């Protein structure tokens, strides 16, 4: 039976049985929240599954890609993904990943997020997650342990949302355009070009894209560029090279987009991840994004 001090090392056992036993154990656990650590090798894929608890998925080291029928979300270091209870999802490891997950009962406290989202992990939340995994798991905690888990729960609704989701439209014409874009991101794609390629009027296109993704084309395009840029920046590639490869005419233009989306310059953002003590590790292989 897993508990807070036992780290699951994917690769050291039958992985299918490991996950199946963990999910069964989670269904039997009591208490509002359970914190479990896992170590994953590069390229490992957790198949489609769901939990009766919501999951706060936090990678201490490495980058993960979470896929649902609604789209894909990238979770770099210093971030976490909130996955509501009952949501079918799979997880792909981009590089060696040291994962810490907190599984939360849906009605544990008022105000928990209702939808999928990537959030920034504050210093306080990072410390709470690290402390929570040391506690006995699966039961009702009292004293210091109970206080830690209670504060962790109340911090979840306050975590800042980050625009690291990339939902795909359901229309096959629009989805094809999105797949083409993420294969070769460029900041110069226009609404008129996309509308013409889809055989739609500008007005019909913008309405359909907004309705099916929840985002404007401009915002979606910027998020796609972030998906392409973050792993390369984490690997220490020069900002100039990344910006030019993505089609930006100048480094300042790329930095302006990055700051608008993530609230910090690329250098400041990556330095913040390193300064948090989590490390920044480059995922090997290419970043593949497809319509679910």
């Amino acid at each position: 039976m897993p508990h807070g001090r036992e780290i699951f090392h994917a690769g050291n056992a039958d992985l299918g049985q490991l996950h199946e036993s963990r999910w069964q154990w989670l269904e039997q656990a009591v208490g509002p929240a359970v914190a479990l650590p896992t170590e994953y090798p590069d390229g490992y894929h957790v198949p489609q599954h769901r939990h009766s608890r919501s999951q706060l998925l936090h990678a201490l080291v490495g980058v993960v890609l979470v896929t649902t029928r609604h789209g894909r979300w990238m979770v770099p270091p210093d971030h976490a993904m909130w996955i509501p209870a009952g949501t079918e999802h799979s997880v792909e490891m981009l590089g060696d990943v040291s994962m810490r997950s907190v599984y939360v009962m849906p009605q544990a406290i008022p105000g928990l997020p209702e939808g999928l989202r990537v959030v920034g992990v504050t210093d306080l939340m990072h410390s709470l997650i690290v402390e929570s995994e040391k506690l006995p798991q699966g039961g009702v905690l009292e004293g210091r342990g109970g206080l830690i888990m209670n504060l962790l729960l109340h911090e979840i609704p306050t975590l800042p949302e980050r625009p690291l989701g990339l939902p795909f439209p359901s229309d096959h014409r629009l989805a094809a355009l999105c797949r083409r874009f993420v294969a070769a991101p460029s900041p110069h794609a226009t609404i008129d070009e996309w509308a013409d390629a889809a055989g739609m009027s500008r007005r019909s296109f913008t309405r359909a894209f907004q309705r099916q993704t929840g985002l404007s084309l401009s915002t979606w395009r910027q998020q796609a560029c972030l998906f392409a840029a973050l792993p390369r920046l984490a690997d220490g590639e020069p900002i100039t090279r990344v910006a030019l490869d993505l089609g930006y005419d100048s480094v300042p233009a790329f930095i302006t987009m990055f700051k608008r989306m993530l609230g910090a310059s690329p250098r400041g953002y990556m330095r913040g991840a390193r300064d948090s003590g989590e490390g920044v590790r480059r995922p090997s292989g290419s970043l593949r994004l497809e319509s679910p």
Side-chain angles (χ1 to χ4, degrees):
M1 299 277 280
H3 56 74
R5 297 184 182 87
E6 176 185 346
I7 297 182
F8 278 36
H9 290 269
N12 295 342
D14 184 305
L15 302 185
Q17 292 182 1
L18 181 152
H19 284 290
E20 186 63 31
S21 64
R22 166 174 280 195
W23 297 332
Q24 290 178 359
W25 181 84
L26 277 173
E27 295 301 314
Q28 301 170 2
V30 298
V34 176
L36 296 176
T38 315
E39 302 294 326
Y40 289 105
D42 176 27
Y44 182 69
H45 180 81
V46 180
Q48 200 87 6
H49 64 286
R50 69 174 70 188
H51 317 288
S52 62
R53 292 172 178 258
S54 298
Q55 180 182 6
L56 185 70
L57 183 159
H58 174 45
L60 293 177
V61 174
V63 178
V64 301
L65 195 63
V66 178
T67 300
T68 78
R69 66 182 181 87
H70 303 289
R72 291 192 170 195
W73 285 259
M74 185 166 66
V75 190
D78 211 28
H79 292 74
M81 172 117 191
W82 177 257
I83 305 172
T87 302
E88 288 271 359
H89 63 285
S90 61
V91 185
E92 181 181 355
M93 312 304 156
L94 305 177
D96 293 337
V97 172
S98 181
M99 186 183 297
R100 302 296 182 266
S101 288
V102 181
Y103 298 90
V104 181
M105 294 293 288
Q107 306 302 324
I109 63 166
L112 290 172
E114 296 182 0
L116 290 151
R117 64 175 63 178
V118 176
V119 296
V121 173
T122 62
D123 290 342
L124 175 58
M125 177 57 84
H126 172 78
S127 297
L128 290 169
I129 291 174
V130 170
E131 285 300 311
S132 68
E133 72 177 69
K134 303 173 185 177
L135 302 172
Q137 303 294 328
V140 177
L141 297 175
E142 299 180 351
R144 177 178 178 273
L147 291 171
I148 289 173
M149 296 306 292
N150 190 45
L151 180 55
L152 187 154
L153 285 173
H154 282 81
E155 282 299 298
I156 291 174
T158 72
L159 297 176
E161 187 170 2
R162 298 294 187 231
L164 292 172
L166 198 64
F168 276 70
S170 56
D171 186 293
H172 68 91
R173 296 169 299 174
L174 305 187
L177 290 170
C178 290
R179 286 196 297 271
R180 192 179 309 161
F181 183 87
V182 297
S186 168
H188 303 302
T190 67
I191 294 176
D192 289 333
E193 290 171 347
W194 282 52
D196 288 344
M200 305 168 69
S201 69
R202 178 187 175 97
R203 185 175 184 181
S204 295
F205 173 85
T206 54
R207 286 183 172 181
F209 197 90
Q210 178 80 41
R211 182 177 65 252
Q212 294 178 33
T213 65
L215 301 172
S216 68
L217 176 60
S218 175
T219 300
W220 188 94
R221 183 189 66 197
Q222 290 174 337
Q223 293 183 189
C225 286
L226 283 178
F227 266 70
L230 275 174
R232 297 179 61 180
L233 293 172
D235 192 32
E237 286 194 42
I239 296 173
T240 299
R241 182 191 303 165
V242 174
L244 296 179
D245 284 352
L246 291 177
Y248 280 83
D249 295 328
S250 67
V251 173
F254 172 74
I255 292 175
T256 297
M257 179 279 295
F258 197 100
K259 290 178 69 175
R260 184 186 306 118
M261 300 298 288
L262 292 179
S265 68
R267 185 170 287 109
Y269 184 85
M270 301 314 296
R271 183 172 59 244
R274 287 190 293 269
D275 290 347
S276 71
E278 297 170 3
V280 179
R281 200 174 289 186
R282 165 72 167 101
S284 63
S286 60
L287 184 61
R288 303 182 305 279
L289 299 173
E290 302 173 356
S291 176

